Structure formats: C-alpha cells, structure tokens
Amino acid sequence: MKKIASIFMGLFLVMTLSACQEQTTETRSSGSTNTNSSNQSGSAAEGTQELGKTLVVYFSVPETQDPNNMTQEEENSVVVIDGKVLGNTEYVATVIQQETNADLFRIEPKTPYPTDHEDLVDLAKEELDDNARPALAEQVSNIEEYDTIFLGYPNWWGDLPMILYTFLETTDLSGKQVIPFNTHGGSGFSSTIQTIKEQSPDANVEENGLTISRDDVQDSENQIKDWVASFQ
C-alpha cells in the first residue's frame, strides 16, 4: 500500500523530484534571492528569536510523482499527502519550515537525476566513486541574510549525496548555525555530520541532528516537531 501521512492544514508546499534508499529550490522571494518555477515562497521568514532568521535547505529525489500503483522502492522514497507526492527528505523539510516559520530552498542539480531506482542507485555510486561535484541549478544568492540553516539530505552510500558537497563548497556558511537532518535506509547519519563540519569549518554545526528511517517518515510529524522545539 502507498504510504499516506496527514499533516496540519495549510501544508501546501509540494515539489517534484528524495530517494536512493530514500535515499532539488525554494526560498522566499526577496530582493537578492533568485527563484524559478520550482521555487516557491516560504512564510514570513524571520524565524524564532532563538534561531534568528532561518532557512531550510534540502535535497530530495522521490522516485515517482504518481501516487498510484507504486513499486516498493517508490513507496520507500516518498510520502503521499492528499494524493500528492513528497520525497522523504522533502516532507521532513516542510514540517521544519512550518514549525520555524523559515524560508525553504531546494537543492536541485542542473542535470536532473533519474527517478528509476536502479539508475539512481548506480548514478549515486558512480558520483561517489568519482568524487563528483554535480552542478547546481541555482544558488542561494542571499545566504548572508540567514542566521540558522537546517540542512537536509538522504544518506547515499553512507555519505552525503555528492551534490551536497557542491553546495557546501560553493556556499559560505561561516558564522551560521547549521542543523543537519536526514533520511536513510538503515545507515542513519553515518559520518555525514563530521563531513559537514569539515566542509564548513567556520560554521557552528550542531551534533543534535535528526535522522529518520525511510520506514518511519510517514509517521514522523510529532518527532520532527519535538526535535525542532529543542532549538526554540
């Protein structure tokens, strides 16, 4: 059966393209932020007093956009809400965004990833082996405005997806609070929090990240809210 989750009224942020065991940009339109047809406005965006102005950045590749007749692997990579498909990491990101009143930015590659499971797995492994840096479709042009960055991604082959390396190497997170969250097929964070610290040595990277199994994402709303509340 397809996985169906219910979240509170007002959830309207639905994107396309989070898997490879779940395993791309949304920001609020402001004077210095570029948007395209895949990017929609977040809410008021000043965040909480404790977090300051907050941005939720995430990478997610759902393996289908069709909520009907999904394969097991497609089910594993998505949450379906009111008949609409969200990638696992995308779903977590939207809950965080609403809880923090943050802006939302989806990391997307210039060349889209395949949605077929085997092709996606193979490409992710090839990128890892090649230490690739996939080009981004868009950058956060006003990153300097934010105090806190929630950074979300799936665990791919026990590592960050290589496009996360591209983001971290091309985005100055110096002085910012970076709070990781991820979805996974059994490996949790692996060593990805340490990797984020190494890639952004001048950022304050939180150890208290949130990692959720792909099997539990559809029922994780309260867990996500409780975790976000620990920073507020």
Side-chain angles (χ1 to χ4, degrees):
M1 292 177 64
K2 61 179 181 286
K3 300 183 293 186
I4 300 178
S6 296
I7 60 175
F8 46 85
M9 197 77 113
L11 176 59
F12 63 96
L13 299 165
V14 176
M15 311 300 305
T16 57
L17 275 169
S18 186
C20 189
Q21 309 291 351
E22 179 247 70
Q23 277 209 281
T24 319
T25 305
E26 278 179 310
T27 65
R28 177 181 62 114
S29 291
S30 65
S32 59
T33 301
N34 296 324
T35 58
N36 58 34
S37 59
S38 297
N39 303 332
Q40 301 176 14
S41 299
S43 12
E46 288 305 321
T48 66
Q49 183 175 357
E50 293 80 1
L51 294 172
K53 189 172 182 181
T54 303
L55 176 66
V56 180
V57 176
Y58 73 96
F59 171 67
S60 185
V61 187
E63 295 180 11
T64 183
Q65 300 174 37
D66 184 357
N68 302 305
N69 302 315
M70 290 188 288
T71 67
Q72 185 63 54
E73 293 297 345
E74 289 170 344
E75 286 187 5
N76 286 339
S77 74
V78 303
V79 173
V80 179
I81 302 170
D82 297 330
K84 297 181 180 180
V85 177
L86 294 173
N88 286 339
T89 308
E90 181 180 14
Y91 171 74
V92 179
T94 60
V95 177
I96 295 171
Q97 185 271 329
Q98 291 207 355
E99 288 299 293
T100 58
N101 198 33
D103 292 340
L104 194 65
F105 181 94
R106 183 172 185 157
I107 297 173
E108 297 189 75
K110 186 171 289 187
T111 301
Y113 283 94
T115 56
D116 176 79
H117 178 72
E118 294 301 328
D119 291 343
L120 183 58
V121 170
D122 291 345
L123 179 58
K125 185 62 164 64
E126 179 182 338
E127 288 185 346
L128 178 63
D129 291 343
D130 293 344
N131 197 28
R133 296 295 185 270
L136 301 177
E138 187 176 358
Q139 296 275 7
V140 183
S141 61
N142 60 334
I143 194 70
E144 69 281 352
E145 297 181 9
Y146 296 98
D147 305 297
T148 298
I149 310 294
F150 283 87
L151 183 61
Y153 50 92
N155 183 324
W156 280 8
W157 294 99
D159 202 345
L160 296 172
M162 301 312 291
I163 197 168
L164 263 291
Y165 284 86
T166 306
F167 174 80
L168 292 170
E169 290 173 3
T170 59
T171 307
D172 185 5
L173 300 181
S174 299
K176 302 186 186 302
Q177 182 181 30
V178 178
I179 307 177
F181 64 97
N182 89 337
T183 57
H184 64 90
S187 300
F189 274 120
S190 298
S191 59
T192 58
I193 292 181
Q194 181 59 36
T195 299
I196 294 168
K197 289 182 176 182
E198 293 168 357
Q199 293 292 314
S200 300
D202 297 321
N204 174 23
V205 181
E206 291 284 345
E207 294 280 356
N208 179 31
L210 177 66
T211 183
I212 304 177
S213 167
R214 67 186 186 183
D215 297 328
D216 300 328
V217 173
Q218 72 273 20
D219 299 316
S220 65
E221 182 179 345
N222 289 336
Q223 180 185 1
I224 299 166
K225 289 180 176 179
D226 289 345
W227 174 71
V228 170
S230 71
F231 296 102
Q232 297 175 327

